[in-house]
Amino acid sequence: MKNDFAKLNFRRGASIMIALIIFLLCALAGVSAFLMAATNVGRYAHTEEQEYYSVSSAALMVVDMLDGLKYESGKITYVYERFWESINGSQRTASDQYTLTIPAERGNWSKDSEAGTLRGSHLRLCSTILSRCNELIPYFVPGEWYDGVKNNEGAPKKPEKDLAPVEFNFTVTVPDDNRFGTVKCKLVMNTSYDLNLTFSGENGEYAISVYWQAALSQTKTAGNPIYDYTTPTGEQYTKGHLTQTDELTITAKWKKDNVTISRGAVQ
């Protein structure tokens, strides 16, 4: 009987120990889950904050609106002229002349530009980009075109240094919707056609940076030489004139495929 009683107590003790072990394991699992959740609070807090949605929405909205925007420069012309004459049957060159013309209206949005939502709006974003594109035209003119006209008064001069970066600050808001808030935006554009945009909330706790590389192309057209001869008497050509005109146009287009977005879990 004593042995049976001892076995019964042992079984009861073992059951209690097993129950305690299971309880401790459950408690440890609960603590681990709590610690993991606490650790992830900072990681996923933005998804529940108004600022995160406001900044993300503003960045994607501006990208969508500018998608397909296309700039096209006016025709830059480079005219080479050669004058010569014959004296006593011997030809000699009298002079060479070079003329470079950069149009007064350097460029504008292309007729087939796909983006038009922001043009003329209160943001003035497109007009700022357009102004910078026009300022960049002299930097893309071939250097030899400048070299040929260096002695001509009033001719375009080759840029000696880069332009200072242009900065434009604006805000994005949704009328009659207080949930969106106000997003502060900044455009920085250097001596390239690439766009750098920054979007941040009113509190500045969250920001998204957008780097947008432009698809840039230059089209150079070499004209056919035109000859003009002068015949003062009979069939003897005594003077000649050669004219060749080359043209250059610059095109920049911003497609959403070339956008890089950082510092935000934005798809």
Side-chain angles (χ1 to χ4, degrees), residues 123-143:
L123 294 178
R124 304 195 315 277
L125 180 58
C126 283
S127 60
T128 301
I129 298 173
L130 177 62
S131 297
R132 170 50 52 131
C133 291
N134 285 334
E135 289 177 335
L136 290 173
I137 291 298
Y139 291 82
F140 287 83
V141 175

PDB file of all heavy atoms in Angstrom, residues 123-143:
ATOM      1  N   LEU A 123       1.266  75.782 -58.711  1.00  0.00           N
ATOM      2  CA  LEU A 123       2.547  75.252 -58.284  1.00  0.00           C
ATOM      3  C   LEU A 123       3.724  75.892 -59.009  1.00  0.00           C
ATOM      4  O   LEU A 123       4.823  75.965 -58.496  1.00  0.00           O
ATOM      5  CB  LEU A 123       2.580  73.735 -58.506  1.00  0.00           C
ATOM      6  CG  LEU A 123       1.632  72.904 -57.655  1.00  0.00           C
ATOM      7  CD1 LEU A 123       1.748  71.437 -58.013  1.00  0.00           C
ATOM      8  CD2 LEU A 123       1.929  73.097 -56.179  1.00  0.00           C
ATOM      9  N   ARG A 124       3.521  76.289 -60.256  1.00  0.00           N
ATOM     10  CA  ARG A 124       4.566  76.889 -61.095  1.00  0.00           C
ATOM     11  C   ARG A 124       5.766  75.960 -61.228  1.00  0.00           C
ATOM     12  O   ARG A 124       6.883  76.396 -61.510  1.00  0.00           O
ATOM     13  CB  ARG A 124       5.019  78.244 -60.543  1.00  0.00           C
ATOM     14  CG  ARG A 124       3.907  79.254 -60.354  1.00  0.00           C
ATOM     15  CD  ARG A 124       4.449  80.666 -60.161  1.00  0.00           C
ATOM     16  NE  ARG A 124       5.552  80.745 -59.259  1.00  0.00           N
ATOM     17  CZ  ARG A 124       5.455  80.805 -57.937  1.00  0.00           C
ATOM     18  NH1 ARG A 124       4.259  80.798 -57.369  1.00  0.00           N
ATOM     19  NH2 ARG A 124       6.525  80.883 -57.178  1.00  0.00           N
ATOM     20  N   LEU A 125       5.539  74.679 -61.025  1.00  0.00           N
ATOM     21  CA  LEU A 125       6.648  73.732 -61.095  1.00  0.00           C
ATOM     22  C   LEU A 125       7.148  73.576 -62.522  1.00  0.00           C
ATOM     23  O   LEU A 125       8.358  73.603 -62.777  1.00  0.00           O
ATOM     24  CB  LEU A 125       6.206  72.378 -60.536  1.00  0.00           C
ATOM     25  CG  LEU A 125       7.249  71.261 -60.535  1.00  0.00           C
ATOM     26  CD1 LEU A 125       8.480  71.670 -59.741  1.00  0.00           C
ATOM     27  CD2 LEU A 125       6.657  69.982 -59.965  1.00  0.00           C
ATOM     28  N   CYS A 126       6.227  73.411 -63.465  1.00  0.00           N
ATOM     29  CA  CYS A 126       6.634  73.224 -64.853  1.00  0.00           C
ATOM     30  C   CYS A 126       7.335  74.460 -65.411  1.00  0.00           C
ATOM     31  O   CYS A 126       8.287  74.334 -66.191  1.00  0.00           O
ATOM     32  CB  CYS A 126       5.425  72.872 -65.717  1.00  0.00           C
ATOM     33  SG  CYS A 126       4.896  71.153 -65.540  1.00  0.00           S
ATOM     34  N   SER A 127       6.868  75.642 -65.046  1.00  0.00           N
ATOM     35  CA  SER A 127       7.509  76.857 -65.554  1.00  0.00           C
ATOM     36  C   SER A 127       8.934  76.987 -65.015  1.00  0.00           C
ATOM     37  O   SER A 127       9.830  77.497 -65.699  1.00  0.00           O
ATOM     38  CB  SER A 127       6.680  78.086 -65.179  1.00  0.00           C
ATOM     39  OG  SER A 127       6.556  78.201 -63.772  1.00  0.00           O
ATOM     40  N   THR A 128       9.170  76.516 -63.789  1.00  0.00           N
ATOM     41  CA  THR A 128      10.516  76.545 -63.225  1.00  0.00           C
ATOM     42  C   THR A 128      11.433  75.575 -63.966  1.00  0.00           C
ATOM     43  O   THR A 128      12.582  75.906 -64.286  1.00  0.00           O
ATOM     44  CB  THR A 128      10.476  76.169 -61.734  1.00  0.00           C
ATOM     45  OG1 THR A 128       9.630  77.096 -61.037  1.00  0.00           O
ATOM     46  CG2 THR A 128      11.870  76.202 -61.121  1.00  0.00           C
ATOM     47  N   ILE A 129      10.931  74.376 -64.255  1.00  0.00           N
ATOM     48  CA  ILE A 129      11.727  73.397 -65.005  1.00  0.00           C
ATOM     49  C   ILE A 129      12.015  73.917 -66.406  1.00  0.00           C
ATOM     50  O   ILE A 129      13.130  73.777 -66.926  1.00  0.00           O
ATOM     51  CB  ILE A 129      10.982  72.045 -65.059  1.00  0.00           C
ATOM     52  CG1 ILE A 129      10.803  71.483 -63.650  1.00  0.00           C
ATOM     53  CG2 ILE A 129      11.740  71.053 -65.934  1.00  0.00           C
ATOM     54  CD1 ILE A 129       9.941  70.233 -63.591  1.00  0.00           C
ATOM     55  N   LEU A 130      11.014  74.548 -67.026  1.00  0.00           N
ATOM     56  CA  LEU A 130      11.190  75.076 -68.377  1.00  0.00           C
ATOM     57  C   LEU A 130      12.267  76.162 -68.400  1.00  0.00           C
ATOM     58  O   LEU A 130      13.119  76.189 -69.300  1.00  0.00           O
ATOM     59  CB  LEU A 130       9.864  75.625 -68.901  1.00  0.00           C
ATOM     60  CG  LEU A 130       9.887  76.284 -70.276  1.00  0.00           C
ATOM     61  CD1 LEU A 130      10.310  75.296 -71.349  1.00  0.00           C
ATOM     62  CD2 LEU A 130       8.512  76.876 -70.608  1.00  0.00           C
ATOM     63  N   SER A 131      12.238  77.050 -67.435  1.00  0.00           N
ATOM     64  CA  SER A 131      13.242  78.120 -67.385  1.00  0.00           C
ATOM     65  C   SER A 131      14.646  77.563 -67.252  1.00  0.00           C
ATOM     66  O   SER A 131      15.585  78.026 -67.905  1.00  0.00           O
ATOM     67  CB  SER A 131      12.939  79.069 -66.214  1.00  0.00           C
ATOM     68  OG  SER A 131      11.689  79.705 -66.385  1.00  0.00           O
ATOM     69  N   ARG A 132      14.810  76.542 -66.405  1.00  0.00           N
ATOM     70  CA  ARG A 132      16.130  75.948 -66.239  1.00  0.00           C
ATOM     71  C   ARG A 132      16.585  75.244 -67.523  1.00  0.00           C
ATOM     72  O   ARG A 132      17.753  75.340 -67.908  1.00  0.00           O
ATOM     73  CB  ARG A 132      16.098  74.981 -65.063  1.00  0.00           C
ATOM     74  CG  ARG A 132      17.337  74.084 -64.898  1.00  0.00           C
ATOM     75  CD  ARG A 132      18.684  74.799 -64.925  1.00  0.00           C
ATOM     76  NE  ARG A 132      18.827  75.905 -64.047  1.00  0.00           N
ATOM     77  CZ  ARG A 132      19.840  76.111 -63.223  1.00  0.00           C
ATOM     78  NH1 ARG A 132      20.798  75.224 -63.151  1.00  0.00           N
ATOM     79  NH2 ARG A 132      19.919  77.206 -62.505  1.00  0.00           N
ATOM     80  N   CYS A 133      15.681  74.565 -68.206  1.00  0.00           N
ATOM     81  CA  CYS A 133      16.034  73.911 -69.474  1.00  0.00           C
ATOM     82  C   CYS A 133      16.532  74.931 -70.490  1.00  0.00           C
ATOM     83  O   CYS A 133      17.511  74.694 -71.211  1.00  0.00           O
ATOM     84  CB  CYS A 133      14.829  73.154 -70.028  1.00  0.00           C
ATOM     85  SG  CYS A 133      14.354  71.698 -69.062  1.00  0.00           S
ATOM     86  N   ASN A 134      15.866  76.072 -70.557  1.00  0.00           N
ATOM     87  CA  ASN A 134      16.289  77.113 -71.496  1.00  0.00           C
ATOM     88  C   ASN A 134      17.651  77.688 -71.119  1.00  0.00           C
ATOM     89  O   ASN A 134      18.464  78.021 -71.986  1.00  0.00           O
ATOM     90  CB  ASN A 134      15.241  78.221 -71.546  1.00  0.00           C
ATOM     91  CG  ASN A 134      14.010  77.825 -72.325  1.00  0.00           C
ATOM     92  OD1 ASN A 134      14.077  76.971 -73.222  1.00  0.00           O
ATOM     93  ND2 ASN A 134      12.869  78.422 -72.009  1.00  0.00           N
ATOM     94  N   GLU A 135      17.915  77.804 -69.827  1.00  0.00           N
ATOM     95  CA  GLU A 135      19.220  78.307 -69.388  1.00  0.00           C
ATOM     96  C   GLU A 135      20.348  77.356 -69.754  1.00  0.00           C
ATOM     97  O   GLU A 135      21.494  77.771 -69.933  1.00  0.00           O
ATOM     98  CB  GLU A 135      19.206  78.522 -67.870  1.00  0.00           C
ATOM     99  CG  GLU A 135      18.370  79.700 -67.410  1.00  0.00           C
ATOM    100  CD  GLU A 135      18.340  79.828 -65.899  1.00  0.00           C
ATOM    101  OE1 GLU A 135      18.542  78.811 -65.215  1.00  0.00           O
ATOM    102  OE2 GLU A 135      18.137  80.936 -65.401  1.00  0.00           O
ATOM    103  N   LEU A 136      20.038  76.070 -69.871  1.00  0.00           N
ATOM    104  CA  LEU A 136      21.066  75.068 -70.127  1.00  0.00           C
ATOM    105  C   LEU A 136      21.451  74.955 -71.601  1.00  0.00           C
ATOM    106  O   LEU A 136      22.477  74.332 -71.916  1.00  0.00           O
ATOM    107  CB  LEU A 136      20.581  73.696 -69.633  1.00  0.00           C
ATOM    108  CG  LEU A 136      20.481  73.523 -68.119  1.00  0.00           C
ATOM    109  CD1 LEU A 136      19.838  72.184 -67.790  1.00  0.00           C
ATOM    110  CD2 LEU A 136      21.852  73.621 -67.470  1.00  0.00           C
ATOM    111  N   ILE A 137      20.671  75.535 -72.493  1.00  0.00           N
ATOM    112  CA  ILE A 137      20.917  75.389 -73.932  1.00  0.00           C
ATOM    113  C   ILE A 137      22.363  75.753 -74.313  1.00  0.00           C
ATOM    114  O   ILE A 137      23.041  75.000 -75.018  1.00  0.00           O
ATOM    115  CB  ILE A 137      19.916  76.217 -74.748  1.00  0.00           C
ATOM    116  CG1 ILE A 137      18.510  75.624 -74.620  1.00  0.00           C
ATOM    117  CG2 ILE A 137      20.312  76.274 -76.218  1.00  0.00           C
ATOM    118  CD1 ILE A 137      18.389  74.222 -75.141  1.00  0.00           C
ATOM    119  N   PRO A 138      22.911  76.893 -73.892  1.00  0.00           N
ATOM    120  CA  PRO A 138      24.295  77.245 -74.297  1.00  0.00           C
ATOM    121  C   PRO A 138      25.335  76.216 -73.875  1.00  0.00           C
ATOM    122  O   PRO A 138      26.392  76.115 -74.497  1.00  0.00           O
ATOM    123  CB  PRO A 138      24.531  78.593 -73.601  1.00  0.00           C
ATOM    124  CG  PRO A 138      23.166  79.161 -73.386  1.00  0.00           C
ATOM    125  CD  PRO A 138      22.302  77.976 -73.095  1.00  0.00           C
ATOM    126  N   TYR A 139      25.062  75.441 -72.826  1.00  0.00           N
ATOM    127  CA  TYR A 139      26.025  74.460 -72.339  1.00  0.00           C
ATOM    128  C   TYR A 139      26.097  73.220 -73.223  1.00  0.00           C
ATOM    129  O   TYR A 139      27.041  72.436 -73.130  1.00  0.00           O
ATOM    130  CB  TYR A 139      25.671  74.054 -70.905  1.00  0.00           C
ATOM    131  CG  TYR A 139      25.892  75.157 -69.902  1.00  0.00           C
ATOM    132  CD1 TYR A 139      24.927  76.151 -69.723  1.00  0.00           C
ATOM    133  CD2 TYR A 139      27.053  75.224 -69.151  1.00  0.00           C
ATOM    134  CE1 TYR A 139      25.126  77.176 -68.815  1.00  0.00           C
ATOM    135  CE2 TYR A 139      27.264  76.245 -68.238  1.00  0.00           C
ATOM    136  CZ  TYR A 139      26.291  77.220 -68.078  1.00  0.00           C
ATOM    137  OH  TYR A 139      26.500  78.244 -67.182  1.00  0.00           O
ATOM    138  N   PHE A 140      25.090  73.024 -74.055  1.00  0.00           N
ATOM    139  CA  PHE A 140      25.051  71.840 -74.917  1.00  0.00           C
ATOM    140  C   PHE A 140      25.424  72.156 -76.361  1.00  0.00           C
ATOM    141  O   PHE A 140      25.406  71.274 -77.210  1.00  0.00           O
ATOM    142  CB  PHE A 140      23.666  71.200 -74.851  1.00  0.00           C
ATOM    143  CG  PHE A 140      23.405  70.483 -73.549  1.00  0.00           C
ATOM    144  CD1 PHE A 140      22.979  71.182 -72.436  1.00  0.00           C
ATOM    145  CD2 PHE A 140      23.623  69.125 -73.438  1.00  0.00           C
ATOM    146  CE1 PHE A 140      22.750  70.534 -71.228  1.00  0.00           C
ATOM    147  CE2 PHE A 140      23.400  68.465 -72.244  1.00  0.00           C
ATOM    148  CZ  PHE A 140      22.965  69.171 -71.134  1.00  0.00           C
ATOM    149  N   VAL A 141      25.758  73.413 -76.645  1.00  0.00           N
ATOM    150  CA  VAL A 141      26.237  73.788 -77.971  1.00  0.00           C
ATOM    151  C   VAL A 141      27.683  73.302 -78.102  1.00  0.00           C
ATOM    152  O   VAL A 141      28.500  73.526 -77.201  1.00  0.00           O
ATOM    153  CB  VAL A 141      26.157  75.314 -78.172  1.00  0.00           C
ATOM    154  CG1 VAL A 141      26.777  75.708 -79.503  1.00  0.00           C
ATOM    155  CG2 VAL A 141      24.704  75.776 -78.102  1.00  0.00           C
ATOM    156  N   PRO A 142      28.046  72.614 -79.187  1.00  0.00           N
ATOM    157  CA  PRO A 142      29.427  72.123 -79.343  1.00  0.00           C
ATOM    158  C   PRO A 142      30.451  73.236 -79.200  1.00  0.00           C
ATOM    159  O   PRO A 142      30.250  74.365 -79.672  1.00  0.00           O
ATOM    160  CB  PRO A 142      29.425  71.547 -80.771  1.00  0.00           C
ATOM    161  CG  PRO A 142      27.999  71.186 -81.031  1.00  0.00           C
ATOM    162  CD  PRO A 142      27.180  72.222 -80.313  1.00  0.00           C
ATOM    163  N   GLY A 143      31.555  72.910 -78.533  1.00  0.00           N
ATOM    164  CA  GLY A 143      32.583  73.910 -78.278  1.00  0.00           C
ATOM    165  C   GLY A 143      33.170  74.512 -79.534  1.00  0.00           C
ATOM    166  O   GLY A 143      33.476  75.712 -79.577  1.00  0.00           O
TER     167      GLY A 143
END
